[in-house]
Amino acid sequence: MQKKALNQGLLKFLQQSPTPFHATANLAAILQDSGFSELDEGEAWKLKAGKYFVTRNQSSIIAFVIGKTDRTKTGIRMSGAHTDSPCLKVKPRPEIFSEDYMKLGVEVYGGALLNPWYDRDLSLAGRVTYQAKNKQIHNLLINFNQPMAVIPSLAIHLDRDANKKREINAQTDIPPILMLSGKSQTLDALLKKQIKKENPKSNLQKVLGHELSFYDTNPASIIGMKEEFIAGARLDNLLSCYVGIQALLSADPGVTSLAICSDHEEVGSASAAGAEGPFLKAVLKRMIPDTEDRLRAIAKSLLISTDNAHGIHPNYPGKHDANHGPILNKGPVIKVNANQRYATNSETEGYFSLLCENSEVPFQKYVTRTDMACGSTIGPITAKEIGIRTLDVGVPTFAMHSIRETAGVDDTFHLYRALSAFFTDTGHLGAG
Ligand SMILES: [Zn+2]
């Protein structure tokens, strides 16, 4: 795939994936279009050489290619990413009526940067569980897909210190405004209307539950004088999800490869569908049922965990270690942390460095300032759960966890080329 097509595909994917549920459905559609067969965790699997994918909770997905070569010798090439991003999630009974306005109460999901949520044209999307007229329970995804809410800033005239010290109380300051009056309005009624519009055959009788989040309707776009940046919501980490799955499509069919995109990374990954849950373990067990063979295969495998990395901000260069300030468009960043907040070790770093060099992909290195705390990601969690050698990498990004983040158009392609080289590497993964 060429750079332009990859970035255009990413823009479209971001636009169509306001929630982990939508991201998973869209990744599944890409895989299906490329000849991957869907598996159901509740059914018996009869796997042979071929291409498969499976989802859990409609919000995590594992895609894999089973090759004919002996996995106890060649191992499994794995890439990892996460489908979730920090956002505002609607409370179960969210209706708030104040000063003749209807607002919706929200929880903050993950470590969201809250300031940028003000004055945006927000919409609402997610999963709804409902009872149908035949009494059965169903899930479906909805997306209002139109600007329908706003969190207005308080005017500076009413808070003269706003530029110096405005604090945000997440309970009282950020419930988005939906409409004027509407005293008798309920979210359930709005959902019913929307479900009927999007799914006329849903046979909806009663809404039972929902997992809805607000998102910015402003679409992702290519920006900068030289059109060298990509700005959009959820680049952390839908960029890696999209690029990882696209790279898997070109995997060598002879060897075994796998890409996992899991939910709940932003809240610690400890869930049935998260990286600390049993999803990957369960799939590996079914791919290689014999324990001895599976453990041998895992010992030969390698995971490239692809989350984003902090690009050095030219207005705040002091926030980075002087020797480790990744620049946008200068290649994926190998992330290192002595305290295992990243799982990279010298061997996995060595493997990835050579992989990049051999494919003429530039790469950079990142370590957090020693006087600052380091974030973490799915890499160390998966390494701990599976016992797999792991490397943490990511494209350099500005404004991580903002409602709009910025990355480089070259870096999506650099990461794609590095992962494609990984998925077509039929040799030994790591030191001999
Ligand atoms: Zn992330």
Side-chain angles (χ1 to χ4, degrees):
M1 184 182 277
Q2 292 307 305
K3 186 174 94 178
K4 196 168 177 193
L6 183 74
N7 281 305
Q8 288 304 322
L10 173 61
L11 290 180
K12 189 172 151 205
F13 175 66
L14 290 166
Q15 179 67 6
Q16 293 176 344
S17 306
T19 74
F21 302 113
H22 291 85
T24 300
N26 291 327
L27 292 172
I30 292 170
L31 290 161
Q32 224 146 19
D33 282 352
S34 303
F36 282 67
S37 310
E38 180 164 16
L39 297 164
D40 181 336
E41 285 200 283
E43 299 295 328
W45 292 8
K46 294 185 186 73
L47 301 178
K48 46 186 202 266
K51 304 188 279 187
Y52 303 92
F53 74 90
V54 58
T55 65
R56 183 177 279 200
N57 187 46
Q58 298 181 280
S59 64
S60 292
I61 187 164
I62 294 176
F64 54 95
V65 177
I66 296 186
K68 287 210 169 76
T69 50
D70 183 354
R71 284 163 292 183
T72 62
K73 297 203 167 59
T74 57
I76 305 175
R77 288 120 193 82
M78 299 192 206
S79 75
H82 63 89
T83 56
D84 61 321
S85 305
C87 62
L88 304 183
K89 285 193 106 168
V90 177
K91 290 182 177 178
R93 297 171 69 186
E95 299 85 357
I96 303 168
F97 300 97
S98 169
E99 313 303 327
D100 216 21
Y101 293 94
M102 179 189 179
K103 307 185 287 184
L104 291 184
V106 287
E107 288 185 282
V108 179
Y109 176 85
L113 195 59
L114 291 176
N115 268 307
W117 280 80
Y118 284 90
D119 308 321
R120 302 274 177 170
D121 305 341
L122 302 175
S123 190
L124 200 55
R127 178 169 73 176
V128 178
T129 300
Y130 69 93
Q131 188 181 40
K133 287 187 180 124
N134 62 7
K135 303 290 175 213
Q136 281 186 341
I137 294 180
H138 295 283
N139 294 319
L140 57 78
L141 308 191
I142 64 162
N143 181 359
F144 283 82
N145 212 8
Q146 65 180 72
M148 55 183 279
V150 64
I151 311 169
S153 288
L154 182 63
I156 194 154
H157 319 78
L158 305 179
D159 180 8
R160 291 285 178 190
D161 289 333
N163 287 334
K164 286 193 203 118
K165 48 178 183 185
R166 178 172 290 175
E167 283 180 17
I168 299 172
N169 180 314
Q171 169 69 18
T172 56
D173 297 350
I174 56 168
I177 296 174
L178 231 59
M179 63 179 81
L180 254 171
S181 60
K183 266 257 174 337
S184 55
Q185 192 57 269
T186 62
L187 178 65
D188 276 9
L190 296 172
L191 289 177
K192 270 188 175 173
K193 211 168 142 196
Q194 183 66 17
I195 288 169
K196 281 181 181 155
K197 187 174 147 199
E198 285 187 56
N199 300 275
K201 291 184 185 148
S202 64
N203 264 326
L204 168 85
Q205 185 168 45
K206 191 162 106 184
V207 172
L208 300 171
H210 52 74
E211 292 174 69
L212 300 167
S213 46
F214 282 100
Y215 70 93
D216 185 4
T217 54
N218 186 18
S221 52
I222 307 291
I223 63 163
M225 272 307 288
K226 295 183 182 167
E227 300 187 344
E228 57 204 324
F229 306 124
I230 179 164
R234 304 175 298 284
L235 290 174
D236 173 13
N237 186 239
L238 292 187
L239 185 154
S240 303
C241 290
Y242 184 74
V243 170
I245 292 294
Q246 288 297 336
L248 185 73
L249 300 185
S250 59
D252 186 301
V255 290
T256 298
S257 298
L258 178 152
I260 174 166
C261 304
S262 20
D263 195 3
H264 299 144
E265 190 274 343
E266 301 293 359
V267 292
S269 293
S271 74
E276 201 174 335
F279 188 30
L280 178 58
K281 239 184 260 176
V283 168
L284 289 173
K285 259 189 190 168
R286 295 170 92 160
M287 285 171 75
I288 312 174
D290 182 79
T291 307
E292 175 84 3
D293 285 355
R294 186 171 63 254
L295 294 176
R296 287 175 65 197
I298 289 171
K300 299 261 168 61
S301 300
L302 190 132
L303 168 73
I304 301 183
S305 152
T306 55
D307 208 342
N308 301 45
H310 296 294
I312 187 166
H313 193 311
N315 297 351
Y316 304 90
K319 293 289 179 187
H320 276 67
D321 179 275
N323 288 344
H324 302 89
I327 306 280
L328 269 58
N329 283 334
K330 296 209 170 162
V333 181
I334 300 172
K335 301 191 281 185
V336 175
N337 179 258
N339 298 307
Q340 295 298 306
R341 303 288 289 167
Y342 299 129
T344 310
N345 63 28
S346 66
E347 183 186 344
T348 57
E349 177 181 355
Y351 172 81
F352 188 76
S353 308
L354 269 187
L355 185 80
C356 287
E357 275 171 26
N358 293 338
S359 331
E360 294 177 350
V361 171
F363 61 92
Q364 312 180 70
K365 295 192 181 183
Y366 176 77
V367 61
T368 307
R369 278 181 63 107
T370 314
D371 53 5
M372 281 173 67
C374 180
S376 191
T377 178
I378 52 162
I381 291 167
T382 314
K384 181 194 97 181
E385 292 298 318
I386 309 290
I388 184 172
R389 287 173 302 158
T390 300
L391 167 85
D392 277 296
V393 300
V395 301
T397 307
F398 291 142
M400 255 150 81
H401 292 197
S402 172
I403 197 167
R404 198 164 177 86
E405 303 165 322
T406 305
V409 291
D410 293 342
D411 285 332
T412 52
F413 195 52
H414 291 320
L415 182 66
Y416 170 74
R417 290 188 50 233
L419 290 178
S420 298
F422 176 53
F423 286 135
T424 48
D425 179 1
T426 55
H428 188 73
L429 305 173

